[in-house]
Amino acid sequence: MSDARQYFQLPTPFAMKRGGSLHGAHVAYETWGTLSAERDNALLILTGLSPSAHAAANDIDPSPGWWEEMIGPGKAIDTSRWFVICVNSLGSDKGSTCPASIDPATGEPYRLTFPDLSLEDVAHASHAMVTSLGIDKLACLIGCSMGGMSALAYMLLHPGSVRTHISVDTAPQAQPFAIAIRSLQREAIRLDPHWNDGQYDNERYPDIGMSIARKLGVITYRSAMEWNGRFARIRLDPEQREDQPFGFEFQVESYLEGHAQRFVRTFDPNSYLYLSRASDWFDISEYGNGSVLEGLKRIHIEQALVIGVSTDILFPLEQQEQIAEGLEAAGANVQFVALDSPQGHDAFLVDIENYSRAIGGFLSRL
Amino acid sequence: MSDARQYFQLPTPFAMKRGGSLHGAHVAYETWGTLSAERDNALLILTGLSPSAHAAANDIDPSPGWWEEMIGPGKAIDTSRWFVICVNSLGSDKGSTCPASIDPATGEPYRLTFPDLSLEDVAHASHAMVTSLGIDKLACLIGCSMGGMSALAYMLLHPGSVRTHISVDTAPQAQPFAIAIRSLQREAIRLDPHWNDGQYDNERYPDIGMSIARKLGVITYRSAMEWNGRFARIRLDPEQREDQPFGFEFQVESYLEGHAQRFVRTFDPNSYLYLSRASDWFDISEYGNGSVLEGLKRIHIEQALVIGVSTDILFPLEQQEQIAEGLEAAGANVQFVALDSPQGHDAFLVDIENYSRAIGGFLSRL
């Protein structure tokens, strides 16, 4: 656990959108740079489903963060100018209160007694943390993937709290293809007998379900185009192959296995289920009488940069176009960037050159 | 089991490409229409991974087949003109010898002692069945999905046996995205404790693994575009929802569950594993010194129709273009049809209007 991590105690009780409330809950966050005397240079990053608040190295925790190449002095998100905050989503087990946390009412982990989680709850908790730092208005709110949906909720539910917005590889609502993928990931976990209705422990742990869920995630986070160039039909060396029936033979299979092994046992399965379902539930059209455009038109900010990538099958480019159109219709000055990065949804973590140019350019002009 | 089904005994021993051989093996097939005296009007259909030889109703089995709307008098594949044969792939449990069949050497099911299966073996067995009917040269060979790969093997390995070819939603080699999907499907089955290294029975059967494999299949056989129009974010009625944690809530989830329930226990899991891996192994470039184009250039036919669909994520349109280019480079007169059907890879089973027009038009001009 990072010593750089700070914790913000949420107001108690913290009421959840779909009912129920949390007592004594907190969110973890990290910061980089210095808040100006005017408190007008704050930039908040809301993350995807699995990353922690450790977006980049800092003095106390020098290990590289998940967006290391993007954040730092002189980088696209320039910490010599901006006071950068990254918050771990409420419900995530990377430091925030989540289903694996102890319920103070019982002294036992919440597990499935954790209340229904929505991305609106993630947004509210993040907003409360920001205001606790004395920041009334963010200079910029950045949301990546699931965090992009949380960011839309943040701006809609807290009018006047955000000056500008950067939307990265996200969507204004979950579409059925993405719901199908996430539903199947959840099912792989739920049907693992070791999940045991959320009552697993270290001895009996749903490793298989989590592994399948992660591999399906990685398949949909990347793209066929990238893999044609990267793996083609290259075989594993004989000594790398699995010595079992139908075992791995191609490099792409070993690549997926590596991803799964790095993920399993580092992310709480129940927390994963809650965040996954929260993503399915998100729909900005709930705030626009069933219209995505009308929902987005309730968000009032000065400027936005909306980035998407043509190879993203989970959050297709058309959904980024919707966000750009909606924010523009609401009066924002919007820049829309459609990239052709081959890496699919994960391009924002890999194609640093193009994302840096877009994000750095936008921020430098503020 | 259909009484319309006929069986062809393969020559014994039947040697397999990757080693081993089968004794007393057979393939199941069905026919429609009448073979001409000159035996020059025969049309063979090679199927995808899961369909049987029952492609359409016939006198003995009037139940609808899997390509019912395409095959019959006056239809695109006009049985008043063509003698149509559909063969069940060697290794499939829909009537042909497969891992669930009894090994005559032991009196027990083969299960994992079945020799390695390749699509070249499927092609050889199909060719032997066709020649047994006294047909030296097919007027047309149609291959759909996996059957399209088997068809390429058939034409390459049996020069002069095919006059014209229709290639439907297929590929000249398995690419890493498709390999990754199939590998994960196999893993869901392999990791199901009830699979038990292939030694399942009706009491302990890998239902969960097969269900997850099928759902992943359906997700990749269709397209996000189709589902946006078809399911959007429509919820199930409360009484249709699963009464369990993280149970189904959206229509798209119930649609996948319906597909899985119709599949599980109707397809032998070991046969599925063998055919799935055979698809991964297929690579026409093996016959062209590592070049797909050179491999395809070894196929000599008069004419071809190559059809693909832009929404297919499993067999992308670029792979159909490769097939068209290769067959043309080999001297065939090739028509390439790129459709925009929203249904993805499965469009050939659903968008009958457009596939009928292309296939019917091509056949009528022969």
Side-chain angles (χ1 to χ4, degrees):
Chain A
M1 190 170 290
S2 157
D3 292 317
R5 195 180 281 170
Q6 297 175 269
Y7 298 91
F8 167 66
Q9 292 293 323
L10 293 169
T12 285
F14 183 80
M16 305 287 273
K17 177 193 178 196
R18 295 174 57 101
S21 59
L22 295 172
H23 295 259
H26 61 268
V27 289
Y29 65 98
E30 295 190 27
T31 69
W32 300 260
T34 307
L35 186 60
S36 64
E38 299 79 10
R39 298 169 190 263
D40 62 356
N41 69 333
L43 185 157
L44 175 68
I45 299 170
L46 297 176
T47 79
L49 193 150
S50 58
S52 72
H54 192 58
N58 43 31
D59 289 346
I60 306 168
D61 178 0
S63 67
W66 58 266
W67 227 6
E68 186 67 33
E69 296 172 88
M70 193 68 81
I71 301 167
K75 295 185 183 171
I77 301 174
D78 187 347
T79 52
S80 59
R81 176 176 175 200
W82 304 106
F83 176 62
V84 178
I85 314 162
C86 183
V87 62
N88 181 236
S89 300
L90 182 67
S92 162
D93 73 338
K94 304 292 183 201
S96 296
T97 298
C98 70
S101 304
I102 300 296
D103 178 357
T106 65
E108 297 289 325
Y110 284 103
R111 301 183 186 269
L112 303 196
T113 68
F114 198 80
D116 280 356
L117 179 74
S118 72
L119 296 185
E120 285 86 342
D121 303 318
V122 172
H124 282 311
S126 303
H127 178 261
M129 181 274 293
V130 168
T131 55
S132 79
L133 300 176
I135 298 162
D136 293 330
K137 191 163 196 163
L138 291 167
C140 187
L141 173 59
I142 300 182
C144 305
S145 188
M146 185 192 84
M149 301 196 283
S150 308
L152 293 175
Y154 187 113
M155 295 185 290
L156 192 148
L157 298 173
H158 299 282
S161 68
V162 174
R163 228 184 97 209
T164 74
H165 173 49
I166 299 176
S167 170
V168 180
D169 296 9
T170 191
Q173 65 177 184
Q175 285 186 336
F177 182 83
I179 292 173
I181 293 285
R182 284 190 291 256
S183 172
L184 191 53
Q185 292 174 308
R186 292 194 296 273
E187 206 171 350
I189 299 167
R190 292 198 287 138
L191 295 179
D192 186 325
H194 288 190
W195 179 60
N196 190 26
D197 278 332
Q199 301 287 325
Y200 45 85
D201 56 32
N202 282 335
E203 307 300 310
R204 288 178 57 85
Y205 192 94
D207 296 285
I208 288 175
M210 287 296 281
S211 174
I212 289 175
R214 182 56 174 177
K215 289 184 182 190
L216 181 51
V218 173
I219 288 173
T220 57
Y221 298 156
R222 311 298 290 211
S223 90
M225 189 202 295
E226 181 202 24
W227 287 0
N228 287 340
R230 185 167 173 180
F231 301 116
R233 292 180 53 77
I234 300 171
R235 300 310 213 270
L236 293 169
D237 294 333
E239 68 273 17
Q240 295 174 301
R241 298 193 185 182
E242 279 189 313
D243 185 23
Q244 52 180 277
F246 302 97
F248 304 140
E249 172 179 346
F250 291 93
Q251 276 197 356
V252 68
E253 297 179 279
S254 156
Y255 163 83
L256 290 176
E257 179 66 16
H259 268 282
Q261 287 184 359
R262 287 190 295 277
F263 187 73
V264 172
R265 302 259 176 165
T266 69
F267 202 95
D268 174 57
N270 290 335
S271 299
Y272 184 89
L273 293 169
Y274 272 82
L275 286 162
S276 167
R277 188 171 53 175
S279 299
D280 284 2
W281 279 335
F282 187 71
D283 184 3
I284 199 88
S285 81
E286 284 179 14
Y287 304 94
N289 288 318
S291 156
V292 166
L293 184 66
E294 292 303 318
L296 289 165
K297 280 169 68 178
R298 292 184 53 188
I299 294 173
H300 298 292
I301 54 175
E302 295 174 21
Q303 294 183 55
L305 167 67
V306 179
I307 315 178
V309 55
S310 58
T311 52
D312 189 341
I313 59 174
L314 207 55
F315 295 83
L317 206 49
E318 302 83 64
Q319 295 204 281
Q320 273 76 244
E321 288 174 22
Q322 281 188 303
I323 294 172
E325 286 169 17
L327 295 179
E328 190 156 71
N333 184 350
V334 178
Q335 183 189 354
F336 176 57
V337 175
L339 294 173
D340 284 325
S341 318
Q343 297 92 354
H345 179 67
D346 266 0
F348 73 100
L349 298 171
V350 186
D351 183 7
I352 297 298
E353 182 182 343
N354 280 305
Y355 281 77
S356 274
R357 186 180 304 124
I359 292 173
F362 178 82
L363 289 174
S364 71
R365 287 188 296 275
L366 291 186
Chain B
M1 190 170 291
S2 156
D3 292 316
R5 195 180 282 170
Q6 297 175 271
Y7 297 92
F8 166 66
Q9 291 294 322
L10 293 170
T12 284
F14 183 80
M16 305 288 273
K17 178 194 177 196
R18 295 173 59 99
S21 59
L22 295 172
H23 294 259
H26 62 268
V27 289
Y29 65 99
E30 295 191 26
T31 69
W32 299 260
T34 307
L35 186 60
S36 63
E38 299 79 10
R39 299 171 189 261
D40 63 355
N41 70 332
L43 185 157
L44 174 68
I45 299 170
L46 297 177
T47 79
L49 193 151
S50 58
S52 72
H54 192 59
N58 45 30
D59 289 347
I60 306 168
D61 179 0
S63 67
W66 59 266
W67 227 7
E68 186 67 32
E69 296 173 87
M70 192 68 80
I71 302 167
K75 295 184 183 172
I77 300 174
D78 188 347
T79 52
S80 60
R81 177 177 174 200
W82 305 106
F83 176 62
V84 178
I85 314 162
C86 184
V87 62
N88 181 237
S89 301
L90 182 67
S92 162
D93 73 338
K94 304 294 184 200
S96 296
T97 298
C98 70
S101 304
I102 300 297
D103 177 358
T106 65
E108 297 289 327
Y110 285 102
R111 300 185 186 268
L112 303 196
T113 69
F114 199 79
D116 279 356
L117 179 74
S118 72
L119 296 185
E120 284 86 342
D121 303 318
V122 172
H124 283 310
S126 303
H127 177 261
M129 181 274 293
V130 167
T131 55
S132 78
L133 299 176
I135 298 162
D136 292 330
K137 191 163 196 162
L138 291 168
C140 187
L141 172 59
I142 301 182
C144 305
S145 187
M146 185 193 85
M149 300 195 284
S150 307
L152 293 176
Y154 187 113
M155 295 185 290
L156 192 148
L157 298 173
H158 298 282
S161 68
V162 174
R163 229 184 96 209
T164 74
H165 172 49
I166 300 177
S167 170
V168 180
D169 296 8
T170 190
Q173 65 177 184
Q175 285 185 337
F177 181 83
I179 292 173
I181 293 285
R182 284 190 291 256
S183 172
L184 191 52
Q185 291 174 309
R186 291 193 298 271
E187 205 172 351
I189 298 168
R190 291 198 287 138
L191 294 179
D192 185 328
H194 287 189
W195 179 60
N196 189 26
D197 278 334
Q199 300 287 327
Y200 46 85
D201 57 33
N202 282 335
E203 308 299 309
R204 288 179 55 86
Y205 191 95
D207 297 285
I208 288 175
M210 286 296 281
S211 174
I212 288 174
R214 182 57 172 176
K215 289 184 182 190
L216 181 51
V218 173
I219 288 173
T220 56
Y221 297 157
R222 311 299 290 211
S223 90
M225 189 203 296
E226 181 202 25
W227 287 1
N228 286 340
R230 185 167 173 181
F231 301 116
R233 292 181 50 80
I234 300 173
R235 299 313 213 268
L236 294 168
D237 295 332
E239 68 273 16
Q240 295 174 302
R241 297 193 187 182
E242 278 188 315
D243 185 23
Q244 52 179 275
F246 302 97
F248 304 140
E249 171 179 346
F250 291 92
Q251 276 197 356
V252 68
E253 298 179 278
S254 159
Y255 163 83
L256 290 177
E257 179 66 17
H259 268 281
Q261 287 184 0
R262 288 189 295 278
F263 187 73
V264 172
R265 302 257 177 170
T266 69
F267 202 96
D268 175 56
N270 289 335
S271 299
Y272 183 89
L273 292 169
Y274 272 83
L275 287 162
S276 167
R277 188 173 51 175
S279 300
D280 284 1
W281 278 335
F282 186 71
D283 183 3
I284 199 88
S285 80
E286 284 179 13
Y287 303 94
N289 288 318
S291 157
V292 167
L293 183 68
E294 292 303 317
L296 289 165
K297 280 169 69 177
R298 292 184 53 187
I299 294 173
H300 298 291
I301 55 176
E302 295 174 20
Q303 293 183 55
L305 167 66
V306 179
I307 315 178
V309 55
S310 59
T311 52
D312 189 341
I313 58 174
L314 208 55
F315 295 84
L317 206 49
E318 303 82 64
Q319 294 203 283
Q320 273 77 243
E321 287 174 19
Q322 281 187 304
I323 294 173
E325 285 169 19
L327 295 179
E328 190 157 73
N333 184 348
V334 178
Q335 182 189 354
F336 176 57
V337 174
L339 295 173
D340 283 324
S341 318
Q343 297 92 354
H345 179 67
D346 266 1
F348 73 100
L349 299 170
V350 186
D351 184 7
I352 297 297
E353 183 182 342
N354 280 305
Y355 280 77
S356 273
R357 184 179 305 125
I359 292 173
F362 178 82
L363 289 174
S364 70
R365 287 188 296 275
L366 291 186

